[in-house]
Amino acid sequence: MADTASVVIIGGGIIGCSIAYNLAERGLRDVVLVERQFLAAGSTGRSGAGVRQQWGTEMNCRLARASIKIFEQLEEMLDYPRSIEFKQEGYLILAFTPAEARQFEANVRLQRSLGVPVTLMDARGAKEIVPHLVVDRVVAATFCPEDGHINPFLATDAYARAARRRGVDIRLWTEVTGILVNNGRVKGVHTNRGFIHCPVVVNAAGPYSQLVAAMAGVDIPVYSERHQILVTEPVQPMQGPMVISFHHGFYCQQTPHGSFIMGVGDPHEPKDFDVGHSWQFLEQVCARVRELLPGLLKLHLVRQWSGLYNITPDAQPILGGVPGLEGYWMAVGFSGHGFMLAPITGKIMAQLILGEQPEIDVSMLGLDRFERGELIREPSVV
Amino acid sequence: MLTNPQEVIICRCEDVTLAEIRQLIREGYRSLDELKRLLRCGMGPCQGRTCLPLIAQELAAHGVPIAEQRWPTFRPPTKPVKLELFAREDDPDG
Ligand SMILES: Cc1cc2nc3c(=O)[nH]c(=O)nc-3n(C[C@H](O)[C@H](O)[C@H](O)COP(=O)(O)OP(=O)(O)OC[C@H]3O[C@@H](n4cnc5c(N)ncnc54)[C@H](O)[C@@H]3O)c2cc1C
């Protein structure tokens, strides 16, 4: 019997699972999700899983805010028996130069105009929020108490289980090796376990999105880049918010489990598919800890690992289809912040695929923006 | 001897019981990688040296032969070390 699907979603990270759930929730049947390994094996399970609304572009603020509203009631919405461990104790973002402080003022004006409850403060204010923070060189800071951190495995599992209950066929250890396109229309996907006939395919392949796009003859301007991260032993709760510095490319959060996770960006990271790790990373991140949160140096390092960002020229995702190629959709290029945008992304993608009016107009995130050169660069990234 | 699976701790680092592991296997999870990510067994300081072989046996008892199981990736460091060990006096970034 021929293997057929209405839609094949490629990628079992939080983005693919959110799209699958939202399609099935809208009543679409015969949705298949294929994942080369197991769910959250890619960037999702390797991420810092911080969620924040404090962004520098209107689009990112709106997508993040809508997503946090969904995350706040995700267990209920998805009827998930466990907790996704949403720790909503804020993000404290630090500025170290006057230019950065001016950017923060502009960001806060934008964020507040969109309803984000953020406040701008001086070094003293930052110290009040995180007492063990060294603020000597801090010029300004912003704080939004609704931001936070979520367990990425459990959030992905919650979407996947809700999708399955609504009939989605999730196939693990199934790798897409080709996409059949005929006369400008998607006809199906080749996998290591056979061919699936389908008129619609969704590229949610995270850091491998450019490879999957190429299978459909689509060229997208993204590259993948390694980012490293570590986790410490668990200790008593002592830090509510995520502390983050764009200046240092550094972030540090205590999870509800008690462990601290932290990472630092390195401009010299390999821009390929390498997910190895380095000793240098440990030195770089610990230099930042010594400077900003020296009290944490006494903690034991338990593990280090890495994952990939899928980066676009403007650090905003590519959402939508491709003119002239019927049945091909993508939600890719999240540039290091795709976890927190997943709830609304899944909803919008399902609406677009089903020909409904999307909840947020994301036409400016289409692939054609790169040809038109209409890029609005997101300034607030690590 | 303890026989109540709710009292049998399989992962001592993260306090994961045999009952929790069996529950997820019943719900359909079939790999060490998935169980580790959902329950944290094997994510603690010993990185699963004690618990993963026990969980592998449990999976085998539920129809996943040991030979077909994939071992989760081992991450450095081998033993927990204090972060201050890496905080050099001279900042690597100046
Ligand atoms: C160190 C680090 C820290 C991060 N911190 C944050 C953070 O704090 N907040 C935040 O919002 N984001 C963060 N991110 C970014 C975030 O992880 C990603 O943007 C997000 O997880 C993307 O989800 P995804 O589902 O698109 O990709 P993925 O989770 O990578 O899922 C894609 C899946 O597709 C599968 N796949 C690929 N090719 C194929 C194929 N041919 N056939 C079948 N399957 C295939 C892969 O196996 C993978 O599982 C971080 C990333 C890293 C690496």
Side-chain angles (χ1 to χ4, degrees):
Chain A
M1 203 184 87
D3 196 1
T4 60
S6 59
V7 175
V8 171
I9 298 164
I10 306 169
I14 185 105
I15 296 291
C17 292
S18 173
I19 295 171
Y21 160 78
N22 278 284
L23 282 171
E25 172 65 15
R26 281 167 177 67
L28 190 68
R29 298 173 59 168
D30 302 319
V31 176
V32 171
L33 182 150
V34 290
E35 164 54 48
R36 177 169 59 193
Q37 291 191 296
F38 47 90
L39 300 180
S43 306
T44 298
R46 298 161 180 273
S47 80
V51 299
R52 66 169 150 119
Q53 307 164 68
Q54 300 180 69
W55 288 98
T57 67
E58 175 171 348
M59 185 54 84
N60 274 336
C61 287
R62 293 180 62 191
L63 295 175
R65 183 156 177 76
S67 290
I68 283 188
K69 292 286 161 227
I70 298 174
F71 274 132
E72 282 172 351
Q73 31 103 40
L74 198 76
E75 293 103 342
E76 212 180 314
M77 181 180 99
L78 301 179
D79 197 14
Y80 192 56
R82 299 185 173 82
S83 158
I84 60 164
E85 299 173 5
F86 192 176
K87 178 190 179 209
Q88 212 168 4
E89 293 185 37
Y91 257 61
L92 181 67
I93 309 189
L94 309 172
F96 287 87
T97 65
E100 223 187 341
R102 278 193 300 277
Q103 173 75 52
F104 279 24
E105 281 170 31
N107 289 357
V108 165
R109 266 196 304 279
L110 168 73
Q111 291 156 6
R112 294 189 74 99
S113 77
L114 298 168
V116 178
V118 56
T119 41
L120 184 67
M121 60 192 67
D122 58 11
R124 203 148 34 110
K127 181 98 185 155
E128 265 167 38
I129 292 174
V130 178
H132 60 284
L133 177 69
V134 173
V135 295
D136 299 355
R137 293 178 48 231
V138 172
V139 177
T142 64
F143 180 69
C144 170
E146 288 178 358
D147 297 348
H149 175 267
I150 291 167
N151 182 319
F153 309 116
L154 296 171
T156 306
D157 187 54
Y159 269 115
R161 289 166 73 130
R164 266 201 204 99
R165 279 200 307 277
R166 287 163 179 75
V168 176
D169 178 6
I170 297 183
R171 304 186 189 175
L172 306 182
W173 302 102
T174 305
E175 176 167 5
V176 171
T177 52
I179 297 176
L180 179 64
V181 176
N182 207 329
N183 288 328
R185 279 168 189 269
V186 168
K187 295 290 179 186
V189 298
H190 295 281
T191 79
N192 59 340
R193 295 168 187 262
F195 183 74
I196 311 173
H197 295 268
C198 61
V200 177
V201 50
V202 185
N203 179 354
Y208 308 96
S209 67
Q210 58 273 43
L211 305 182
V212 168
M215 292 177 194
V218 177
D219 188 19
I220 52 176
V222 303
Y223 63 91
S224 296
E225 179 181 273
R226 180 176 78 178
H227 281 252
Q228 303 190 62
I229 180 165
L230 66 80
V231 65
T232 71
E233 64 187 310
V235 289
Q236 288 302 313
M238 58 182 281
Q239 182 178 314
M242 171 84 100
V243 170
I244 174 166
S245 158
F246 303 131
H247 180 76
H248 300 97
F250 171 76
Y251 61 89
C252 174
Q253 167 79 286
Q254 186 176 24
T255 69
H257 163 257
S259 50
F260 278 81
I261 54 175
M262 53 185 93
V264 66
D266 176 351
H268 309 299
E269 281 288 11
K271 292 181 178 30
D272 55 22
F273 301 102
D274 175 13
V275 285
H277 38 72
S278 72
W279 175 273
Q280 288 80 353
F281 164 74
L282 297 175
E283 289 190 341
Q284 287 164 355
V285 83
C286 292
R288 303 285 78 87
V289 174
R290 195 178 59 163
E291 182 180 346
L292 300 173
L293 300 159
L296 304 186
L297 287 177
K298 295 279 174 233
L299 298 184
H300 285 88
L301 163 69
V302 170
R303 274 192 322 280
Q304 72 172 123
W305 69 93
S306 75
L308 300 167
Y309 283 14
N310 192 229
I311 301 182
T312 61
D314 57 2
Q316 305 216 58
I318 307 174
L319 304 182
V322 176
L325 179 54
E326 207 170 314
Y328 172 89
W329 297 90
M330 62 189 149
V332 303
F334 286 92
S335 308
H337 46 272
F339 177 76
M340 69 182 82
L341 303 185
I344 195 65
T345 297
K347 196 167 181 189
I348 291 170
M349 290 304 297
Q351 289 165 330
L352 289 172
I353 292 165
L354 297 175
E356 297 168 14
Q357 185 71 24
E359 182 169 318
I360 295 175
D361 178 5
V362 290
S363 49
M364 66 178 286
L365 295 180
L367 181 63
D368 49 353
R369 75 181 186 268
F370 302 105
E371 269 162 37
R372 293 198 310 268
E374 289 169 7
L375 303 190
I376 306 177
R377 212 194 129 71
E378 171 56 62
S380 305
V381 287
V382 281
Chain B
M1 202 184 111
L2 286 174
T3 48
N4 180 354
Q6 289 184 357
E7 286 168 18
V8 179
I9 304 278
I10 294 285
C11 169
R12 286 180 295 189
C13 301
E14 298 291 333
D15 270 344
V16 181
T17 65
L18 181 58
E20 289 175 286
I21 287 161
R22 286 192 176 153
Q23 174 65 27
L24 282 194
I25 295 175
R26 260 200 305 278
E27 288 173 14
Y29 299 92
R30 286 287 176 275
S31 67
L32 292 172
D33 269 310
E34 290 165 301
L35 295 173
K36 171 182 167 185
R37 283 165 179 76
L38 294 171
L39 291 174
R40 281 199 179 88
C41 41
M43 280 195 185
C46 94
Q47 297 214 41
R49 268 189 209 82
T50 322
C51 68
L52 291 178
L54 297 173
I55 302 169
Q57 283 175 23
E58 201 55 34
L59 280 166
H62 288 82
V64 193
I66 301 250
E68 287 172 22
Q69 294 182 29
R70 210 184 78 125
W71 211 250
T73 314
F74 191 85
R75 316 270 183 200
T78 314
K79 269 178 131 176
V81 277
K82 279 194 180 168
L83 290 180
E84 62 192 6
L85 179 74
F86 305 99
R88 307 190 323 207
E89 280 309 310
D90 54 320
D91 186 331
D93 298 331

